[in-house]
Amino acid sequence: MDATALRRAIPEVVGILVRRGADFASAEDAVQTALLRAVERPPAEEVRDVRAWLVTVAWRAFLDQVRSESARAAREERLALEPEPGSVPDHDDTLGLYFLCTHPVLTAGSATALTLRAVAGLTTRQIADAFLVPEATMAQRISRAKQRLAGIPLDQPGDLSRVMRVLYLVFNEGYSGEIDIAAEAIRVTRQLFALTDEPEVAGLLALMLLHHARRPARVVGGQLVPLAEQDRTVWDVSAISEGVGILQAALAQDRLGQYQAQAAIAALHADAPTADETDWVQIVEWYDELLGFGDSPVIRLNRAIAVGEADGPLAGIAALDAVGEDVPRYHAALAYLQERAGDVDTAAAGYAEAARRATSALEQQHLLRQAERLRHAGRPR
């Protein structure tokens, strides 16, 4: 059975089980059991309607659970409700499931894990691998999250901005283990895009596609490659084209949001045939738009780099004055601008300091190479 088709059906099937009387935690567990049975079933058995098959098997798994936990009277009452196999009524609770998995009672980490399991359909082990934690730890996190959601109805109105924030967190987990988490984030964001008429959801999907399109060029031979040095011929042109098209349609609705603005910046990078042809002036303007949605030090840092490209490195260094030294990648940005301004020795020391503060081995190794390169360049011949 097609794994993608199965995972795509999961949110709707969970919703169907809840409407039939299962609580969310039990419904989600039953669907996971059905997914395992889908893997175990003989390949020769043809399934014409994946959703109907998944509903039937998951509901029976739920009933098995009820049989083992309930008294005879309760069991008989549940069994009387069992529907005959066949077509499933159309009532899509997928959006409600997005809202439930990102409910404010959950921490960002718990919401991310639960979304990957209940919406994306990943196993607990796959999620644990992605977060680099033991499977038992992730199982406890997901179990506690479902306990906190007990009694909250599936059809309760939710906060779409919180859903998008969680999906972007999922996307930024990138790739780890057997599952491409970034690709899964794009897949479930596509589902959300199909369920809503919100330009910011379109902006988020476009942003993911545009960033994901550059992934093949980001790491080469185990080394991090900066955007300016990437081989643009290996960028995914179809993903860029789709992302730009989705973004343009969203911007045409004239309801600008932060994800659309970020996607516009990514589109300008993707549109430039070479790094030297990047429209930095327009990128600065988009960063100014972004600051209108919230004064973030990270946005100010990225804006300072763009200013340095558009108006010269000294202007960029001046713009960094609005950014605190404790902001991630501050020292790397300052060192880059100092190097462009010709202050090689100071830049070398700055790259070394940035490497000391780096949070990933790839980034640290890249910054150390930059520092060594400048130290070598500054030695007398």
Side-chain angles (χ1 to χ4, degrees):
M1 205 178 301
D2 181 28
T4 301
L6 279 168
R7 289 203 299 269
R8 190 182 298 121
I10 286 169
E12 192 174 353
V13 174
V14 171
I16 290 170
L17 265 62
V18 170
R19 285 189 170 275
R20 287 182 175 179
D23 60 278
F24 166 69
S26 298
E28 201 277 326
D29 285 340
V31 171
Q32 287 288 329
T33 300
L35 290 174
L36 290 175
R37 291 178 183 170
V39 173
E40 296 166 353
R41 58 181 292 281
E45 292 183 10
E46 182 181 358
V47 175
R48 295 182 179 180
D49 188 337
V50 170
R51 186 185 67 155
W53 183 93
L54 199 56
V55 168
T56 300
V57 176
W59 183 251
R60 287 174 178 168
F62 168 67
L63 291 176
D64 288 342
Q65 179 182 340
V66 171
R67 290 186 187 103
S68 65
E69 296 175 353
S70 303
R72 179 180 297 274
R75 291 204 308 267
E76 291 175 352
E77 183 179 351
R78 294 278 190 179
L79 286 170
L81 297 174
E82 181 173 1
E84 293 296 323
S87 61
V88 180
D90 285 326
H91 189 102
D92 195 347
D93 289 297
T94 302
L95 185 58
L97 191 60
Y98 277 90
F99 289 144
L100 187 63
C101 290
T102 59
H103 196 279
V105 299
L106 302 178
T107 65
S110 295
T112 300
L114 191 57
T115 297
L116 281 170
R117 175 158 159 134
V119 179
L122 304 190
T123 65
T124 303
R125 181 181 59 78
Q126 289 168 334
I127 301 168
D129 288 346
F131 283 86
L132 304 177
V133 300
E135 183 176 354
T137 300
M138 184 55 67
Q140 289 176 351
R141 184 181 302 174
I142 292 172
S143 177
R144 285 195 298 268
K146 290 196 287 189
Q147 288 171 8
R148 299 204 70 180
L149 294 175
I152 299 175
L154 187 61
D155 57 357
Q156 185 179 76
D159 183 353
L160 194 57
S161 65
R162 185 174 173 85
V163 175
M164 290 188 286
R165 188 159 57 250
V166 168
L167 290 179
Y168 198 41
L169 286 173
V170 172
F171 177 78
N172 285 326
E173 286 298 322
Y175 175 84
S176 181
E178 66 181 271
I179 294 293
D180 186 340
I181 298 297
E184 283 300 306
I186 291 173
R187 184 179 66 81
V188 296
T189 302
R190 282 189 192 281
Q191 290 183 190
L192 184 64
F193 174 63
L195 292 168
T196 66
D197 186 27
E198 171 55 55
E200 267 295 78
V201 175
L204 176 60
L205 178 57
L207 177 62
M208 290 180 177
L209 288 167
L210 290 164
H211 280 322
H212 205 55
R214 301 201 301 262
R215 193 177 78 173
R218 283 198 190 104
V219 179
V220 178
Q223 294 187 1
L224 191 66
V225 182
L227 176 60
E229 300 172 22
Q230 289 178 11
D231 179 1
R232 300 183 180 221
T233 64
V234 302
W235 286 359
D236 187 339
V237 177
S238 62
I240 291 172
S241 177
E242 182 186 8
V244 169
I246 291 171
L247 173 63
Q248 288 175 337
L251 292 174
Q253 296 187 52
D254 198 24
R255 290 158 55 197
L256 185 65
Q258 60 174 322
Y259 291 116
Q260 294 169 75
Q262 290 182 62
I265 293 168
L268 287 167
H269 284 299
D271 188 53
T274 66
D276 291 339
E277 296 173 86
T278 305
D279 189 346
W280 288 106
V281 172
Q282 194 172 166
I283 287 176
V284 172
E285 291 174 355
W286 277 112
Y287 275 121
D288 289 337
E289 292 281 1
L290 259 179
L291 285 171
F293 296 105
D295 194 345
S296 160
V298 174
I299 295 174
R300 287 199 173 274
L301 183 141
N302 289 326
R303 179 186 180 278
I305 297 172
V307 168
E309 299 287 359
D311 300 329
L314 295 180
I317 292 171
L320 271 179
D321 288 342
V323 181
E325 292 188 19
D326 58 336
V327 175
R329 298 186 174 88
Y330 168 88
H331 291 276
L334 180 59
Y336 171 75
L337 292 169
Q338 288 168 336
E339 179 186 355
R340 289 199 60 230
D343 192 350
V344 175
D345 291 339
T346 305
Y351 280 128
E353 176 62 19
R356 189 181 69 81
R357 296 170 179 252
T359 56
S360 78
L362 273 178
E363 185 178 355
Q364 182 182 60
Q365 292 163 7
H366 168 72
L367 292 167
L368 288 173
R369 286 193 298 270
Q370 297 296 89
E372 183 59 29
R373 174 180 59 81
L374 292 187
R375 289 192 189 107
H376 182 76
R379 291 174 190 156
R381 295 176 182 265

